[in-house]
Amino acid sequence: MKKKFILEGLDCANCAAKIENDINKLTGVVSASINLMTTKLIIEAEDDKMQGVIETAKKIVNKYEPDVIFRIA
């Protein structure tokens, strides 16, 4: 299953790379990628683990960029 999210306010390439790297390490994640120009995050994960991945991804985003708004695209 693939889900798209907008990371409103993300403007740090280094932070985006760290967020992407951490999300890719989560159990059940097939792939995660961030396009800094469009501030889109695409997560592909196993269907049964997707909800947990999304919740953890929000925490990861807030860890590196506390002011970024994480919302569904």
Side-chain angles (χ1 to χ4, degrees), residues 3-36:
K3 295 268 187 176
K4 294 180 184 179
F5 305 92
I6 300 291
L7 303 178
E8 263 181 49
L10 181 66
D11 58 4
C12 171
N14 188 38
C15 297
K18 289 178 182 178
I19 291 166
E20 188 177 291
N21 190 38
D22 284 5
I23 294 173
N24 271 306
K25 291 179 182 176
L26 297 176
T27 303
V29 172
V30 176
S31 69
S33 63
I34 295 175
N35 181 325
L36 190 59

Side-chain angles (χ1 to χ4, degrees), residues 6-69:
I6 300 291
L7 303 178
E8 263 181 49
L10 181 66
D11 58 4
C12 171
N14 188 38
C15 297
K18 289 178 182 178
I19 291 166
E20 188 177 291
N21 190 38
D22 284 5
I23 294 173
N24 271 306
K25 291 179 182 176
L26 297 176
T27 303
V29 172
V30 176
S31 69
S33 63
I34 295 175
N35 181 325
L36 190 59
M37 297 302 289
T38 61
T39 67
K40 281 188 182 172
L41 164 64
I42 299 173
I43 299 174
E44 185 176 355
E46 297 170 16
D47 292 356
D48 59 329
K49 294 193 170 53
M50 183 56 91
Q51 193 56 44
V53 167
I54 292 169
E55 290 169 17
T56 306
K58 286 180 186 178
K59 291 176 185 172
I60 291 169
V61 169
N62 286 330
K63 174 177 140 184
Y64 292 108
E65 286 282 351
D67 297 329
V68 166
I69 298 167

